Amino acid sequence: MIIIYVGAKYIMSLKLLDELYNKIDKLNGFGPKNILLFDKLCGSRLLDIIFHLPNSIIKRIKINSLKDEYIYKRIIINGKVKSTWFSYKKPKISIVTLEVNDQILEIIYFNVNRNWFLNNFIKDNEITISGELIRKGKKWQVIHPDYIQIKKLEEIIPIYETTYPLTSGLSHKKIKAAVKYSISEIPGFSEWINSELLKDKNWQSFNKSLLKLHFPKTLEEVENAHLYKERLAYDEALSRQLALNLIRKHKHKTEQKTLININTLKDKLINNLPFKLTDDQQDVLKTIYEDINLNKRMYRLLQGDVGSGKTIVAFLSILHVVEHGFQGALMAPTEILAYQHYLFFKKYENIIGIRIALLTSKMQKNIKINMIDDINNGKINIIIGTHALIQSNIKFKNLRLAIIDEQHRFGVYQRLELSKKSPNTDFMVMTATPIPRTLVLTDYGDMDISIIHSKPINRAKIETISVSIPRMNEVIKAISRAIKNNEQIFWVCPLVKDSEKLDLAAAETRQKYLHNIFPNNVAIVHGQMDSRDKENSLLQFSKNEKKILVSTTVIEVGIDIPNATIMIIEHAERFGLAQLHQLRGRIGRGTKNSVCILLYDQKIGEIARERLTVMRETNNGFLISEKDLKLRGAGEILGTRQSGGQMFKILDINIHENLIKIANKNSKMIINENPNLIGIEGEKLKQLLYLFGQDKAVKLIKSG
């Protein structure tokens, strides 16, 4: 139910949406098995089913006589049953002879139930059938009609019938019944879109748009399907933009101490770096310092392509608060990445004169207890770790800046939960997966954006080539040459162990294969290994004790080995563009030119082939991310599909980009004028938020 703000109180609105939250098992004939199938397909609530939109349409024509012009078209025709014939031998064939205005039409079934057949086709009965008309010799035929009914009854055969995406175990008939019932339960919503926009776009109401999309009755309604879908896509865009702007408006309420620029520790670090900061890095840092210095909390997304130098920006940003006696934290998604950050920061610990600690869930208990105590007492200035940092037993003395690295897979509400861990803390998210402009607007609209466009000028050149798997011997020869030159190699596989179902390379199998060729020179790392074993493998590789590191995608981010000059990605056709680009970014970090080898199966589709072409043609992560969005969609890039979520119900970023911009503009106007969504207009907008799963934004208003 919806909560409405009135004065200082909250009251329950009319239970407009209650019925839509029910599951489809309220309908007769839909049991637990159907619930599971609908959950797999689109969701089992009526609210989910109304947004399961059709993907095609059947068009029928009513005819009175059989003509060649109707062949292979879906017809509706009346006739009288003249005779029936039923075969008892396999294949069981059943034939109805139908008289149609002095013409004969055969209706043919295979393996149909005999009782059903005889009960539906009674001699001299007049019936109406629908199906695809064909002709064999001089015989007119319809095989397995999709509708049959007695002519005397009210006609139920639609001229236009929508069809839907299916899943194994759910018939089209079942889905149609579920959609029809769900649509019938939609309440009469009042309009939340302003009349000028409705008129300009020629949109109909929310209810009419849904009804006509699912059940078009006229040719005009069929031809206007794009308008009905566009209307609903805008509703979804508006709900997302309203939620983001509500979050932005309300989460900046907490005031904190203003800071000034102190450069003692930062200058010590900068003066001891083996490189100079790029202009982009300096510009981004200036913006971050200014934002942190304010009395309102910072919420910032830092984007930078692979190798653009985000880590040093994070280090200096944290030092900015440490200069004032505060603590800073950097959270990474994996132990490997957290460890890499820790090693880089730790090199400068004594030079700067601060304490830096690593905290992970798999640390020895006594060490961890002491470290937690030191964090709580403020003895540690910078804490680097995994998700262990946000566990309830971790208390900071005076945390001022929290940075999350490579967490673009966190949605807006997860980020909000993390930032609540310390209500006076500035918050920054970093990603080396450049996010397309439209996705930034739809998923990071609550944050300010900083981008590092350029890379350090001394970065080595990376060439990308694609090689079919049968040419593996050529790759082995390239590895041999690299090892003779004292260079190192990454070899990435899509799986840890061999699979009976998938004919793909497994890391453990590949390690054994390479070990036979290059004995005692191959390390392995994957997510299922013990943390100590992983660290040991990485340490051997980072110290150049092993020349080859076989891994899964756990090394996608954060591994910095300047001596590595070859990246081999086996079954590259299985990876998305953004992931391929991330993996390629593990090489070219030293002064030697490097090569990324995309090993691919020769039996690949056009989209996979296009991905490999893009990788060969450009190293620009921002261009790659835009292309990835077009090829795979938003859910793949932001990780929502891998995690079982769904980016949008109706909105298609590639098609509706302009609608997102309009929704963003309108939502800002709405929130500026009515930040608590009060009154009648506010109630309408809250209903919209609930419809599209943005109800947490409403709860944010409630919590203040």
Side-chain angles (χ1 to χ4, degrees), residues 324-338:
H324 291 82
F326 292 103
Q327 293 171 304
L330 174 60
M331 190 172 84
T334 65
E335 286 190 21
I336 291 174
L337 181 51

Side-chain angles (χ1 to χ4, degrees), residues 23-39:
K23 297 206 170 202
I24 193 61
D25 58 355
K26 282 196 71 176
L27 182 60
N28 288 337
F30 286 76
K33 183 181 177 182
N34 292 127
I35 290 288
L36 293 174
L37 291 171
F38 272 99
D39 277 332

Side-chain angles (χ1 to χ4, degrees), residues 314 318 328-332 341 345 383-386 389 403-405 430:
I318 291 174
L330 174 60
M331 190 172 84
H341 284 317
F345 281 39
I383 304 94
I384 298 168
T386 56
L389 288 180
I403 299 176
I404 296 181
D405 192 18
M430 300 197 305

Side-chain angles (χ1 to χ4, degrees), residues 218-268:
T218 65
L219 180 60
E220 181 185 14
E221 290 180 0
V222 171
E223 291 174 343
N224 284 336
H226 67 287
L227 286 176
Y228 309 139
K229 189 170 182 179
E230 189 179 78
R231 151 76 210 233
L232 299 174
Y234 177 78
D235 287 330
E236 186 164 25
L238 182 61
S239 72
R240 176 65 67 97
Q241 294 304 312
L242 277 171
L244 289 170
N245 280 289
L246 277 169
I247 290 167
R248 177 183 280 271
K249 190 86 174 177
H250 286 266
K251 73 184 181 183
H252 284 301
K253 283 183 175 180
T254 307
E255 289 196 358
Q256 55 194 12
K257 182 182 177 181
T258 57
L259 306 181
I260 60 172
N261 288 346
I262 303 173
N263 298 317
T264 308
L265 300 181
K266 288 180 287 189
D267 285 347
K268 279 185 183 180

Side-chain angles (χ1 to χ4, degrees), residues 111 126 131 154 184 211 232 240 249 267 280 287 290 388 435 448 458-459 494 523 535 562 574 703:
N111 299 314
E126 288 198 7
E154 181 184 351
S184 71
L211 184 64
L232 299 174
R240 176 65 67 97
K249 190 86 174 177
D267 285 347
D280 269 9
T287 303
E290 289 172 352
I435 302 169
D448 296 307
N458 62 341
R459 285 287 185 187
E535 284 182 21
R574 294 278 177 165
S703 66

Side-chain angles (χ1 to χ4, degrees), residues 385-646:
T386 56
H387 287 75
L389 288 180
I390 58 171
Q391 290 175 357
S392 58
N393 63 328
I394 308 299
K395 308 291 183 185
F396 297 91
K397 182 180 180 182
N398 53 0
L399 182 66
R400 177 62 187 254
L401 176 60
I403 299 176
I404 296 181
D405 192 18
E406 290 305 332
Q407 281 299 325
H408 53 280
R409 288 184 172 87
F410 270 171
V412 59
Y413 297 112
Q414 289 93 333
R415 293 198 301 270
L416 195 61
E417 288 300 316
L418 287 176
S419 67
K420 286 179 182 176
K421 288 293 291 182
S422 184
N424 293 309
T425 300
D426 291 303
F427 188 72
M428 187 161 77
V429 173
M430 300 197 305
T431 177
T433 303
I435 302 169
R437 293 182 301 275
T438 315
L439 276 185
V440 167
L441 196 62
T442 57
D443 214 53
Y444 293 90
D446 60 314
M447 307 188 87
D448 296 307
I449 314 295
S450 291
I451 300 176
I452 304 175
H453 289 283
S454 60
K455 297 181 183 180
I457 56 175
N458 62 341
R459 285 287 185 187
K461 179 183 176 184
I462 303 175
E463 180 188 5
T464 303
I465 60 174
S466 53
V467 177
S468 63
I469 289 174
R471 293 168 58 196
M472 181 85 75
N473 287 339
E474 296 174 35
V475 176
I476 299 299
K477 289 176 182 177
I479 291 176
S480 297
R481 290 192 296 270
I483 290 175
K484 285 178 183 177
N485 291 331
N486 196 34
E487 297 168 10
Q488 291 175 276
I489 300 96
F490 288 102
W491 191 305
V492 176
C493 300
L495 301 174
V496 175
K497 297 179 183 291
D498 286 326
S499 167
E500 293 180 5
K501 295 181 180 179
L502 297 172
D503 184 20
L504 298 176
E508 292 178 345
T509 303
R510 186 58 65 215
Q511 183 213 18
K512 292 174 185 175
Y513 168 78
L514 292 171
H515 174 76
N516 290 332
I517 304 170
F518 307 102
N520 301 315
N521 231 340
V522 186
I524 185 170
V525 63
H526 55 72
Q528 296 179 20
M529 290 171 65
D530 178 83
S531 58
R532 288 187 183 181
D533 292 337
K534 278 191 286 191
E535 284 182 21
N536 187 49
S537 286
L538 282 172
L539 201 59
Q540 287 180 318
F541 190 61
S542 64
K543 288 182 176 180
N544 205 3
E545 294 171 3
K546 303 278 188 182
K547 298 295 183 186
I548 304 170
L549 180 67
V550 176
S551 78
T552 55
T553 55
V554 293
I555 57 101
E556 181 181 341
V557 291
I559 308 301
D560 193 359
I561 310 292
N563 193 49
T565 60
I566 297 179
M567 165 61 71
I568 299 158
I569 306 172
E570 195 163 352
H571 280 288
E573 75 278 0
R574 294 278 177 165
F575 298 88
L577 271 173
Q579 197 168 40
L580 289 172
H581 183 60
Q582 285 288 311
L583 291 168
R584 177 170 62 184
R586 298 308 101 214
I587 57 174
R589 292 177 167 264
T591 56
K592 297 178 182 178
N593 287 339
S594 303
V595 61
C596 177
I597 301 172
L598 306 174
L599 273 175
Y600 67 93
D601 190 326
Q602 289 176 304
K603 300 174 184 177
I604 61 173
E606 284 304 310
I607 291 178
R609 197 174 296 278
E610 190 173 351
R611 284 203 295 267
L612 300 187
T613 301
V614 171
M615 288 295 294
R616 290 196 305 269
E617 291 178 349
T618 182
N619 279 301
N620 186 313
F622 288 91
L623 291 177
I624 286 170
S625 69
E626 295 286 350
K627 189 68 176 177
D628 208 17
L629 178 61
K630 288 182 171 61
L631 290 176
R632 296 199 302 162
E636 297 282 4
I637 294 174
L638 293 177
T640 52
R641 286 182 194 163
Q642 292 93 321
S643 62
Q646 185 179 0

